[in-house]
Amino acid sequence: EIQMTQSPSSLSASVGDRVTITCRASQNIDRDVSWYQHKLGEAPILLIFGSSNLQSAVSPRFSGSGAGTVFTLTITSLQPEDSATYYCQHTYKTLLFGQGTRLHIK
Amino acid sequence: QITLRESGPTLVKPTQTISLTCTFSGFSLNTPRVGVGWIRQPPGKALEWLALIYWDDAKHYSPSLTSRLTITQDTAKNQVVLTMTNMDPADTATYFCAHFVITLIGVHFPRGYFDSWGQGTLVTVSS
């Protein structure tokens, strides 16, 4: 099973900052990574699919990049509503979510 | 607009079997390259994928839970049902269903992503 190691597990940043979350796959998974935002008590929201494709209606402050084994989600100009847990996910031979990154806005 | 809603028992006893229903609208499971999946989140833990069913009735299960899971569809009712046997307190979680978009077929496991999710239903396993 291809593992996804997501880092950091948590981070704290201020309004207006830029943050980057990383997922590392244990094997080459092409560009098969999606990113989700999840707030407690709500349905998760798809942000990015295919490594870098922005989902419709998602703010362009979110962007994704990467191929092979290293993938990143970048959020620019942080807003208070970005406080959430973020997950990467792949479907290469099976389906797996990363361990999540809890983002706290100061 | 795609919507999904999970329903089922909120409290079950250890060793019991549970069935969760996902009722959806805005799409048909007869449409090629579409699926519905189940994902859960134990309190304070990460999302965990459980099962997927596709437009052609093919199915995939989490390797760690495959012996306990069955996923079925009723296209006439626009429903997908997940059955999980031998429930344990460790199965206490919020269970989500989600619409799955397939981006690549012809491989062992279809590539894709979940673009719409239900709100989830909390299932507690306790005696």
Side-chain angles (χ1 to χ4, degrees), chain B residues 27 42 54 67 70 105 113 121:
Chain B
F27 69 97
Y54 307 99
S67 64
T70 303
I105 58 175
Y113 53 87
T121 185

Side-chain angles (χ1 to χ4, degrees), chain A residues 13-29:
Chain A
S14 300
V15 172
D17 283 355
R18 167 188 170 125
V19 297
T20 297
I21 299 168
T22 301
C23 270
R24 298 178 186 273
S26 56
Q27 298 179 37
N28 184 346
I29 57 171

Side-chain angles (χ1 to χ4, degrees), chain B residues 6-12 18-21 121-123:
Chain B
E6 305 87 352
S7 60
T10 57
L11 179 64
V12 299
I18 186 176
S19 287
L20 298 173
T21 300
T121 185
L122 176 61
V123 178

